[in-house]
Amino acid sequence: MMTALRRIQKELQDITNRPLDGITVEPEADNLLVWKCSVKGSPDSPYKTGTFHFKIELPTNFPFKAPNVTFLTKIYHPGINEEGHICVPILRDEWKPSVTLSTVLAVIQEKVNNPSPDDPFEPEIAALLKNDKAKFLATAKEYTKKYAM
């Protein structure tokens, strides 16, 4: 646990010193293992104008186990399911203790702003993105307006 906390404090310091554009990170006041975060939609994504809140929960054996990421803002996205779980390999089978939380945040930002029908969490949304992109974009914009503004 002490090793995890030292590493988390160091990473938080790095993120504070070199913030990622469009991402905010705020650890809970009484619990360094829980971070409240948000990512802004980039100007060229269907999520532009939106701010999506998510939570990062760090395990007590971090960095040997990947953090748990849950989106709190509803988003119409092939890689994020109804429960707010995000499908990124770096948080599953590609996790390594050398992965930094800055990298995790950058990957989440990339995933949000570049929805892909490959390796989906939501196959129906992925199929719509593949087969009727205009309808996908309209629905993504509608959700953004409704839930992320």
Side-chain angles (χ1 to χ4, degrees):
M1 179 73 176
M2 285 311 294
T3 309
L5 287 175
R6 269 198 307 273
R7 165 89 181 250
I8 291 164
Q9 285 169 320
K10 182 193 175 306
E11 295 217 27
L12 194 55
Q13 192 62 53
D14 291 347
I15 290 165
T16 306
N17 294 340
R18 285 187 301 282
L20 291 157
D21 199 31
I23 290 204
T24 63
V25 173
E26 197 181 306
E28 281 188 355
D30 57 351
N31 187 356
L32 254 190
L33 298 177
V34 179
W35 295 8
K36 293 183 188 113
C37 307
S38 69
V39 59
K40 287 191 183 310
S42 68
D44 55 352
S45 89
Y47 310 103
K48 68 175 180 236
T49 70
T51 300
F52 300 88
H53 298 276
F54 61 97
K55 181 171 66 175
I56 294 182
E57 291 168 287
L58 298 152
T60 53
N61 59 349
F62 180 82
F64 302 103
K65 191 170 181 273
N68 190 14
V69 175
T70 309
F71 271 75
L72 308 172
T73 306
K74 266 181 94 121
I75 182 171
Y76 190 78
H77 195 289
I80 301 168
N81 70 11
E82 270 293 308
E83 291 80 46
H85 298 123
I86 186 167
C87 184
V88 287
I90 199 171
L91 293 172
R92 296 188 327 242
D93 45 348
E94 289 179 17
W95 178 258
K96 292 179 185 72
S98 60
V99 174
T100 67
L101 292 169
S102 284
T103 302
V104 169
L105 291 166
V107 166
I108 291 169
Q109 184 176 43
E110 171 69 22
K111 180 80 168 185
V112 166
N113 285 307
N114 298 291
S116 161
D118 308 324
D119 189 25
F121 237 20
E122 291 291 335
E124 284 152 29
I125 297 174
L128 192 63
L129 173 55
K130 234 181 211 156
N131 305 323
D132 189 349
K133 194 169 183 181
K135 187 171 184 199
F136 164 80
L137 292 172
T139 310
K141 284 177 184 153
E142 190 182 304
Y143 265 61
T144 300
K145 206 163 157 177
K146 195 170 177 181
Y147 302 108
M149 291 171 84

